[in-house]
Amino acid sequence: MQSQKPAAVPSLQAENERVRVTKWSFAPGAATGWHRHEYDYVIVPLTSGRLRVTNAGESVEAELVAGQTYWRKAGVEHDVENINDFDFAFVEVEVK
């Protein structure tokens, strides 16, 4: 039997007709689970470290630096996993 990864924890910070802001907290090894964004979004890392992003059968390890943002378009199904041996967090801002 395959073991389950612990779940990353979302915490809704704010939402209105224009944006949804969620803080994601990851224990070591935690993952978001497969999901697809319905809106374009910006990620603001609160921690520096490495995440593994898996989509369409491909896994990429990304080095994130606290405070250095990046954005993505809506629609790509993916899973995000904390591959550090420490807690990791980022803020996700979805633009409606």
Side-chain angles (χ1 to χ4, degrees):
M1 177 179 219
Q2 188 176 18
S3 64
Q4 290 275 37
K5 297 176 190 172
V9 178
S11 175
L12 185 63
Q13 305 283 297
E15 184 169 15
N16 61 33
E17 66 280 351
R18 299 184 65 192
V19 298
R20 179 186 307 140
V21 180
T22 305
K23 178 183 177 188
W24 284 90
S25 300
F26 296 77
T32 58
W34 286 93
H35 64 283
R36 181 179 318 219
H37 293 265
E38 60 182 316
Y39 305 111
D40 292 349
Y41 60 100
V42 175
I43 297 295
V44 183
L46 301 175
T47 313
S48 294
R50 297 177 64 77
L51 296 178
R52 178 178 296 121
V53 180
T54 303
N55 59 49
E58 174 184 54
S59 288
V60 176
E61 292 184 8
E63 185 75 33
L64 279 69
V65 177
Q68 289 188 3
T69 62
Y70 70 90
W71 75 275
R72 296 284 184 259
K73 291 194 125 333
V76 176
E77 188 174 9
H78 62 284
D79 181 35
V80 179
E81 178 185 358
N82 178 11
I83 57 174
N84 302 291
D85 60 0
F86 53 84
D87 290 351
F88 191 91
F90 60 75
V91 172
E92 172 186 275
V93 180
E94 295 175 284
V95 182
K96 295 181 176 182

